[in-house]
Amino acid sequence: MKAPSFFPVVVMGRFADRLAASAQVVAAAPYTISVFATSIPGVDFAPDSIAVVDGKVFVGYGDGAAPDGSDGKSSTIVEYQLNGDVVTTYTVPGHNDGLRVNHTPSVWALQNEDASPNLVIIDPKPRLIPPHTPFSSTPHGGGYDDISFRVTMFSLAPPIRPTLPTTGPPS
C-alpha cells in the first residue's frame, strides 16, 4: 500500500500540551509528524474542532470563552491553506465547540456546549458569515456538542455528561 503524500496529523488541546512537554512524539513509518500551523499566542488558543472543505482547513478555537456563553466572549474560527497559511478568520459569539461541513459545502459552527447554544453557518466561497442563530431552550437543558449530516437532514448531539448517583444505587 502506498502512503499518501499529504496526511496531516493534528493533535489538539491538553493532549498536545502533554506531547510537546515530553518531546517524544514519534510516527510510524512512512508517516511523519510536524506542526501544521500556529495560532497567535494569547489571541487564538484552545483549538477544539477541525473541518476540511475545498482544500481549506478550518480550526475552531475556544479562546477562553465560557462553555455556556455566560461571559459574553467570542471565539475564533481560522481558515488555513493546506500549507498552514492563514486565509481569514471568523469571530463567532460564545465558546466554539463543533465544526462540520455539510453538502453545500458550508461550515457549520456550534457554540456553547453547556447552555445557550448558537449556530453560525460560514459560506467559505465568498467568505460570508451571517448573523448567528440562537436556539430556544433545549430539551436537555444544555447546549450541543456535535452535529452530523445525512443527505439533506442534520441532527444535533448534546455533550455526554455522566451523572453519578448521589444517594446510592437505584432500587
Side-chain angles (χ1 to χ4, degrees), residues 3-169:
S5 59
F6 177 75
F7 187 80
V9 176
V10 180
V11 181
M12 299 174 45
R14 292 185 189 127
F15 185 63
D17 295 339
R18 288 187 205 126
L19 287 175
S22 70
Q24 300 292 327
V25 180
V26 178
Y31 302 102
T32 61
I33 296 176
S34 62
V35 174
F36 163 70
T38 57
S39 63
I40 302 169
V43 176
D44 298 327
F45 56 95
D48 184 88
S49 301
I50 298 174
V52 179
V53 61
D54 292 338
K56 303 289 191 297
V57 179
F58 292 77
V59 178
Y61 292 91
D63 295 342
D68 63 359
S70 62
D71 59 6
K73 293 182 179 178
S74 295
S75 296
T76 306
I77 298 170
V78 179
E79 179 181 348
Y80 294 97
Q81 296 279 2
L82 290 177
N83 67 2
D85 289 344
V86 173
V87 175
T88 194
T89 60
Y90 305 91
T91 301
V92 295
H95 177 265
N96 178 258
D97 192 51
L99 293 178
R100 290 285 186 222
V101 176
N102 80 348
H103 68 282
T104 58
S106 58
V107 178
W108 290 40
L110 285 168
Q111 283 70 236
N112 304 336
E113 71 269 24
D114 287 352
S116 306
N118 74 69
L119 170 68
V120 172
I121 301 174
I122 300 168
D123 185 345
K125 289 291 184 186
R127 294 194 175 81
L128 293 178
I129 183 167
H132 73 283
T133 302
F135 292 91
S136 58
S137 61
T138 57
H140 60 284
Y144 293 106
D145 196 47
D146 203 357
I147 189 168
S148 62
F149 297 97
R150 184 173 189 153
V151 188
T152 59
M153 299 172 57
F154 69 91
S155 65
L156 297 164
I160 298 173
R161 305 269 192 256
T163 304
L164 301 176
T166 56
T167 58

